Amino acid sequence: MDYFKSVPHLKSKLWLLLLVAILHSTCGLYEDQIGKFDWRQHYVGKVKFGGFDFSSLDRIIVATESNALAAISAKSGEILWRQVLEKSPRGDIKLLYVPNQGNGVQFSGGRSNRAFDVITVTGASPALIRGWNPNTGSLEWEWSLLPASPERAENALWFVRDGNLYHVVPVWGSHIELTEYFVASGQQTKPSTSRISAAWIKDEKCTLAESFFVCAIDQQILAVDLLAENPQIIAKPLETVASGSPNAVVGEAAVVQDGRMYSLTSDYKIAIGAEGSVLVDENILEGEKILLYTSVDRERNSLKLTANKLSDLSNFGAIEFQADYAETFGTPCLLAVRCKVTTGSQGTFACRVLISSQDGALTLIQQGKIKWTREEALADVETADFLDLTLSDAEGAIEEELNNKNGDVFGALQRRITSQISHVKNLVLHVLGLGPAPSKAQKAGLVRDDFGLHKMLVVVTSSGKVFGIDNNSGKQHWIRYLPEMIGFANGQSIKLLVQRTSRFYPLSAQCLILGRHRDTKNGLIYQFNPITGQPVNGGVVQLPYKILQASLLHETGPDFLRGVLLLDENNEAHVLPESLAKYANNFYMFSADRETATVKGYLVEYRNGKLSTVPTWTVNLSGAGKTQQIVAIEGKNPIEHVHSQGRVLADRSVLYKYINPNLVAVATHGPDNIHKYILNVYLLDVVSGSIVFSMSHKRIRPPLQMVHSENWLVYSYYNDKVRRTEVTSVELYEGKTQTNSTVWSSLDAPPMPLVERQSYVLPVAVATMQETITEKGITNKHILFGLTTGAVVEMSWALLDPRRPVTSPEKAREEGIIPYMPELPMPHEIIINYNQTIANIKGIHTAPSGLESTCLVFVHGLDIFVTRVAPSKTFDLLKEDFDYFLITVVLILLTSTSYVVKIFASKKVIKQAWK
């Protein structure tokens, strides 16, 4: 106390510092940032490896194809912790080792008192070996291995035995190299690498089963034990020629080949069927290995688990069960099992079985019943769209009444009176609780709202699974699985085409999913109702040809259905359904070859009931050295509306936009002898084949993201020279005189546009880009940037405007243009997902709502996120805190006052007339 008396201001300063510290730690969110208009769902991806953590009763450790390591609760299926590793190929998980009870990897140096660590091996050159704390998911230790032969590193295999890590590198047609390491330190246990002669090994024919290197060659299985002192070749005859590589059995030196399991240490083999899966566990019975295998009955939609003792293959029925297995689940794969003897009984087991299916679902079955299921297919979304919901029964009746336009006035009056009586009757019955039962859509809440904000989100994943998700709540209303459907070549995803929306009551909406058959690679389509998920016209239809290009027709048929025009590999045109083929007459299409950078245009004609294609133009963008390849093609959104055709300048003149609906942006990239890399961007008219504009960037490399809308183009890239991410915006204008204000024709050879362009610097890396879109195009355009950090940034077009001036800002201020600065600001308030980080963002999809001010946004990656944005604020919507009571009182007072004033005014007029 004496010290504080001697320094009188010290105590006040301490209080001030404490107050500043408290204020600094305070944070807050707006009301619309706390999950009111948005939601997020976490996923880990399709599980590749998995096992129960024996140090906890409620933890499952999994490693996925999406390069994620996670712990999942065995009780609820929720993610306890998750570590997202590097992107492929560096982050590819090659090995996951979850220690079993009593055989964990011990550490020396005073660390043995800690829980056994989970071990992962990721990447190939270099390979990263890591140890993770299973309780918290934190990284405990790490070491790397740089292979001597990087070209063979991708084929390397790994396994753990007795606390040592073994690195297996096959040299196809020659030998196998085996290196042993201490798993925690990375030191070699032996001074040299072992070389095992194996001239019979072949690429894509081999696998690793425990310590055995196994290959399926012709009509036999050949294997060698890598840890044996004198390795000998083990041969197992097959009934037919082997197809593909064998699958290793978890927990045992055995493989599965063509529906049969073959042991590598004994003579037994077991038939398990095409959809069977095998697992061996040694913790169920002490001193006894239990063989478990599954079989699926598709007619009854059931899964059967069979158990045998491995010593004599006798049946072990204590843990066998039969559980429901939905048709939306693919081929099952047994990952892990954990059993315990129930209290109060002898010989009775309670088991948990972890199953990963081919469609990506992760399921835990407990006591023969599904405890929970995680739809991990949503971690790999390829395409999505928002669909309007159906009308309610009352609104549907009004639509039917208005659609009856036969000119009968008395009939319309009769229908109106009947409809009103029916509404009053239904109201009375509803109040009394005697009304008609609501429809399925009404029970599920799938009814269109007044502002069009409630929609069905249709999501298509790479595994062929289709989801119908409520965009307000995230609830999955229906699921369909298309096991035979895959995406197209060159990284082209499965396509989702909307043939008819829900606006044409009473006709239901209809969509079409377009992909390839998994085996034949021919076209495969699936037609369905997006609101209910039910198939239409037979559902899945396999086409007898390969698809080169696809497009929706501009005109609709008599039932408001838009046909799909397909171009096959022989450049022949097809229309689905065939009855709409006449609407494809004089339709222009184009196709692009990424490898050769060649773009071709075609004219589709309908003559004498047949379709024919006529090649019209060809453009080669590969450059003089034929080294350029197409890396991106971006067209305009077909539902986009352009509200303003011009831009008012400071002198009150109008600069008209170059709005060409047939304009497509094509980007090519390739090596260069002088500038290392060159990126070329072309604006190509796909009807006439003319190049409207082109621009080159030197020393640029991908990733490249593009957005093409109205009369502008925005694209981001990585500048290798200055090592930063840059964004270039291009804007096209016709000039101050518009060529044609009503009809655009690419064949009329319009004048070349005036081009404004500018480049900016982004302080972060961009993973994807998309523009906002609204119903009428009145709202300002904003650009959504999906960043590699997991944030989604909403940036105004005013910041990306290529007309931002470097000098003379007075005229620009008159137009409302911001002066040019190379760095784009990134304030926290423009991040629309605030702290809801989205791991590994892959794409953004936007759609208009019924409100002109509001745009719906769907972001997908390892997580999925749905929200809504208002680029020009909600100018057409009252705020939630609007004082309805006050405005009502004011209106009543004004109305009453005007009525009273009217009476006094009429009396005054009468008195003046009598004077």
Side-chain angles (χ1 to χ4, degrees):
M1 296 299 295
D2 295 335
Y3 178 75
F4 284 107
K5 289 180 181 178
S6 62
V7 187
H9 296 290
L10 183 60
K11 191 173 182 179
S12 60
K13 290 182 178 179
L14 289 175
W15 280 108
L16 182 60
L17 290 175
L18 180 61
L19 180 61
V20 171
I22 295 175
L23 292 176
H24 181 70
S25 62
T26 304
C27 59
L29 293 174
Y30 290 102
E31 187 178 7
D32 60 349
Q33 291 181 323
I34 54 175
K36 188 170 184 179
F37 300 128
D38 58 72
W39 52 265
R40 179 184 60 168
Q41 294 178 357
H42 289 289
Y43 296 97
V44 296
K46 184 179 179 181
V47 176
K48 184 189 297 186
F49 309 105
F52 289 93
D53 183 11
F54 281 88
S55 63
S56 171
L57 296 175
D58 185 33
R59 190 160 53 231
I60 301 172
I61 308 297
V62 296
T64 69
E65 295 181 359
S66 300
N67 302 345
L69 176 69
I72 298 176
S73 171
K75 295 180 180 179
S76 62
E78 296 180 353
I79 300 176
L80 301 177
W81 55 260
R82 183 184 68 178
Q83 294 288 349
V84 181
L85 307 181
E86 298 86 353
K87 292 185 178 181
S88 297
R90 187 178 181 183
D92 290 338
I93 300 177
K94 306 292 185 179
L95 172 70
L96 171 67
Y97 180 77
V98 182
N100 291 334
Q101 192 173 12
N103 64 346
V105 180
Q106 297 284 354
F107 296 94
S108 60
R111 302 178 60 185
S112 59
N113 59 343
R114 200 168 49 173
F116 296 154
D117 288 341
V118 173
I119 300 170
T120 61
V121 178
T122 58
S125 180
L128 298 176
I129 297 87
R130 292 164 169 154
W132 307 86
N133 189 321
N135 297 318
T136 61
S138 58
L139 180 64
E140 301 289 348
W141 49 267
E142 176 186 37
W143 57 274
S144 62
L145 176 65
L146 189 64
S149 301
E151 66 277 2
R152 297 198 298 264
E154 191 63 33
N155 301 320
L157 302 170
W158 306 79
F159 68 96
V160 175
R161 178 69 61 84
D162 299 330
N164 293 330
L165 178 67
Y166 293 87
H167 183 208
V168 182
V169 180
V171 180
W172 305 120
S174 178
H175 62 277
I176 303 171
E177 297 177 355
L178 179 67
T179 311
E180 184 179 354
Y181 300 92
F182 288 113
V183 68
S185 62
Q187 295 179 350
Q188 285 190 224
T189 59
K190 297 179 181 180
S192 62
T193 299
S194 303
R195 295 169 61 95
I196 302 171
S197 179
W200 39 270
I201 60 176
K202 294 182 180 180
D203 191 12
E204 298 183 354
K205 293 289 185 179
C206 303
T207 189
L208 191 65
E210 294 290 304
S211 62
F212 288 81
F213 195 86
V214 192
C215 296
I217 308 297
D218 297 332
Q219 289 189 341
Q220 61 180 346
I221 290 178
L222 301 177
V224 60
D225 188 357
L226 301 177
L227 299 184
E229 293 183 2
N230 297 313
Q232 301 293 326
I233 298 177
I234 302 171
K236 299 284 184 179
L238 297 175
E239 297 181 357
T240 58
V241 177
S243 59
S245 62
N247 296 319
V249 175
V250 178
E252 178 63 11
V255 294
V256 175
Q257 180 68 42
D258 299 332
R260 289 181 178 272
M261 172 185 164
Y262 297 87
S263 173
L264 303 176
T265 57
S266 59
D267 295 332
Y268 69 82
K269 62 179 179 180
I270 301 175
I272 61 172
E275 288 192 285
S277 178
V278 185
L279 181 143
V280 175
D281 193 276
E282 59 183 4
N283 297 312
I284 299 175
L285 286 178
E286 187 176 355
E288 182 76 44
K289 288 186 176 182
I290 302 299
L291 172 67
L292 302 100
Y293 60 96
T294 60
S295 59
V296 180
D297 187 350
R298 288 298 179 185
E299 294 182 358
R300 300 180 180 179
N301 291 329
S302 64
L303 174 76
K304 182 180 180 182
L305 179 73
T306 306
N308 293 328
K309 294 181 179 179
L310 196 61
S311 58
D312 55 3
L313 295 182
S314 60
N315 184 258
F316 185 67
I319 62 175
E320 293 184 346
F321 63 81
Q322 190 165 351
D324 296 332
Y325 198 73
E327 61 181 3
T328 58
F329 292 159
T331 302
C333 177
L334 279 172
L335 293 176
V337 62
R338 186 173 185 180
C339 299
K340 66 176 182 179
V341 179
T342 56
T343 58
S345 60
Q346 296 181 354
T348 304
F349 291 83
C351 293
R352 289 174 173 175
V353 180
L354 185 65
I355 294 177
S356 175
S357 52
Q358 188 179 10
D359 60 287
L362 183 65
T363 306
L364 183 73
I365 301 177
Q366 181 172 323
Q367 296 297 91
K369 296 182 179 179
I370 294 179
K371 188 173 181 64
W372 50 259
T373 298
R374 293 185 56 87
E375 294 291 352
E376 295 298 336
L378 287 170
D380 197 3
V381 175
E382 291 211 348
T383 184
D385 204 351
F386 290 91
L387 275 300
D388 290 326
L389 297 174
T390 57
L391 296 173
S392 62
D393 295 339
E395 292 175 338
I398 296 175
E399 288 290 334
E400 287 185 346
E401 180 181 348
L402 295 177
N403 286 336
N404 194 344
K405 300 177 181 179
N406 52 8
D408 186 4
V409 178
F410 294 101
L413 177 62
Q414 181 182 1
R415 287 190 299 272
R416 166 51 56 189
I417 296 174
T418 305
S419 176
Q420 296 292 346
I421 294 174
S422 176
H423 289 169
V424 174
K425 177 182 175 181
N426 291 335
L427 178 62
V428 174
L429 292 177
H430 179 72
V431 172
L432 298 176
L434 303 175
S439 61
K440 293 183 179 179
Q442 289 176 335
K443 289 181 180 179
L446 299 178
V447 178
R448 192 183 309 172
D449 61 331
D450 294 333
F451 296 138
L453 296 171
H454 189 195
K455 296 196 177 190
M456 178 67 75
L457 176 60
V458 179
V459 175
V460 184
T461 65
S462 60
S463 64
K465 210 162 190 180
V466 190
F467 296 83
I469 303 176
D470 194 315
N471 76 313
N472 281 349
S473 62
K475 179 182 177 182
Q476 299 172 5
H477 288 287
W478 54 264
I479 303 174
R480 293 292 179 270
Y481 179 43
L482 312 174
E484 297 177 344
M485 182 171 290
I486 60 174
F488 296 95
N490 296 325
Q492 294 293 306
S493 61
I494 301 173
K495 306 301 178 184
L496 174 62
L497 305 175
V498 181
Q499 293 184 277
R500 183 173 57 212
T501 64
S502 300
R503 298 181 178 180
F504 306 102
Y505 188 88
L507 298 173
S508 60
Q510 182 172 326
C511 291
L512 181 141
I513 296 177
L514 184 64
R516 290 191 303 168
H517 193 277
R518 188 177 298 273
D519 298 326
T520 64
K521 301 300 185 293
N522 286 342
L524 193 68
I525 64 170
Y526 176 67
Q527 293 177 300
F528 65 102
N529 184 331
I531 309 302
T532 62
Q534 297 300 319
V536 177
N537 299 329
V540 179
V541 178
Q542 185 174 354
L543 304 176
Y545 47 82
K546 292 180 174 62
I547 299 175
L548 183 64
Q549 184 61 284
S551 177
L552 282 171
L553 297 179
H554 300 315
E555 300 182 37
T556 62
D559 54 355
F560 303 102
L561 187 71
R562 298 179 66 180
V564 179
L565 178 62
L566 304 176
L567 190 68
D568 64 18
E569 57 182 351
N570 297 321
N571 296 332
E572 295 182 1
H574 311 268
V575 173
L576 299 174
E578 296 181 359
S579 58
L580 301 179
K582 59 182 179 180
Y583 297 106
N585 188 33
N586 292 331
F587 191 93
Y588 289 88
M589 295 187 72
F590 78 97
S591 65
D593 190 327
R594 289 181 178 269
E595 300 296 329
T596 62
T598 303
V599 186
K600 298 180 180 180
Y602 304 91
L603 172 63
V604 180
E605 296 180 341
Y606 182 77
R607 298 287 186 271
N608 300 323
K610 294 183 179 180
L611 289 171
S612 61
T613 57
V614 179
T616 54
W617 54 268
T618 300
V619 175
N620 192 326
L621 304 176
S622 60
K626 306 296 181 182
T627 57
Q628 294 280 315
Q629 293 184 353
I630 296 177
V631 293
I633 298 178
E634 193 69 30
K636 298 181 180 181
N637 196 324
I639 64 173
E640 179 184 61
H641 289 84
V642 180
H643 176 69
S644 175
Q645 293 185 353
R647 184 168 184 169
V648 180
L649 303 180
D651 58 357
R652 301 300 182 266
S653 62
V654 178
L655 188 62
Y656 289 99
K657 300 177 182 178
Y658 182 84
I659 303 174
N660 184 350
N662 306 316
L663 206 61
V664 171
V666 181
T668 64
H669 185 266
D672 183 74
N673 295 330
I674 300 176
H675 303 290
K676 204 172 183 180
Y677 305 105
I678 288 185
L679 173 69
N680 295 321
V681 178
Y682 304 90
L683 290 177
L684 182 65
D685 191 312
V686 294
V687 171
S688 62
S690 60
I691 297 178
V692 176
F693 173 73
S694 64
M695 187 164 55
S696 296
H697 300 270
K698 300 174 179 61
R699 294 198 66 178
I700 299 300
R701 57 184 175 90
L704 175 73
Q705 309 295 336
M706 302 179 69
V707 170
H708 190 195
S709 178
E710 291 191 4
N711 67 319
W712 50 264
L713 172 71
V714 174
Y715 54 97
S716 67
Y717 48 85
Y718 183 79
N719 192 325
D720 201 25
K721 181 178 180 179
V722 292
R723 298 182 180 180
R724 66 189 183 193
T725 300
E726 296 180 353
V727 177
T728 296
S729 59
V730 179
E731 204 167 15
L732 308 179
Y733 293 96
E734 285 192 44
K736 295 187 177 182
T737 303
Q738 196 170 14
T739 305
N740 193 326
S741 60
T742 56
V743 179
W744 175 272
S745 176
S746 296
L747 303 178
D748 288 344
M752 297 302 290
L754 306 175
V755 181
E756 300 282 352
R757 49 186 168 176
Q758 194 64 268
S759 294
Y760 301 92
V761 178
L762 270 178
V764 288
V766 179
T768 185
M769 291 171 58
Q770 188 61 268
E771 84 277 14
T772 59
I773 185 170
T774 54
E775 189 75 22
K776 302 298 182 182
I778 302 174
T779 306
N780 294 332
K781 287 280 188 179
H782 282 192
I783 309 298
L784 300 178
F785 291 91
L787 308 181
T788 55
T789 59
V792 181
V793 172
E794 180 186 6
M795 186 168 292
S796 173
W797 171 252
L799 295 174
L800 296 167
D801 194 340
R803 299 184 69 248
R804 290 178 61 179
V806 180
T807 58
S808 62
E810 292 78 13
K811 294 183 179 179
R813 192 179 300 111
E814 185 75 17
E815 296 181 35
I817 303 178
I818 305 173
Y820 176 76
M821 288 188 65
E823 295 83 8
L824 291 174
M826 282 287 177
H828 293 289
E829 56 266 22
I830 67 173
I831 300 177
I832 64 174
N833 60 332
Y834 46 107
N835 65 342
Q836 304 287 344
T837 303
I838 306 164
N840 291 346
I841 295 180
K842 297 180 182 177
I844 301 176
H845 180 79
T846 57
S849 65
L851 292 173
E852 172 57 30
S853 64
T854 306
C855 172
L856 304 178
V857 180
F858 170 61
V859 187
H860 60 88
L862 192 58
D863 307 320
I864 60 176
F865 176 75
V866 172
T867 187
R868 58 179 80 160
V869 296
S872 299
K873 308 300 181 184
T874 52
F875 59 85
D876 53 358
L877 191 66
L878 293 177
K879 295 182 178 180
E880 293 186 355
D881 57 352
F882 185 78
D883 197 340
Y884 292 94
F885 177 77
L886 177 62
I887 195 67
T888 303
V889 172
V890 171
L891 288 176
I892 293 175
L893 289 176
L894 289 176
T895 304
S896 303
T897 303
S898 63
Y899 183 75
V900 172
V901 170
K902 179 181 178 182
I903 294 175
F904 284 115
S906 62
K907 289 182 179 181
K908 181 179 180 182
V909 171
I910 293 174
K911 288 182 180 180
Q912 290 179 350
W914 280 102
K915 289 182 179 180

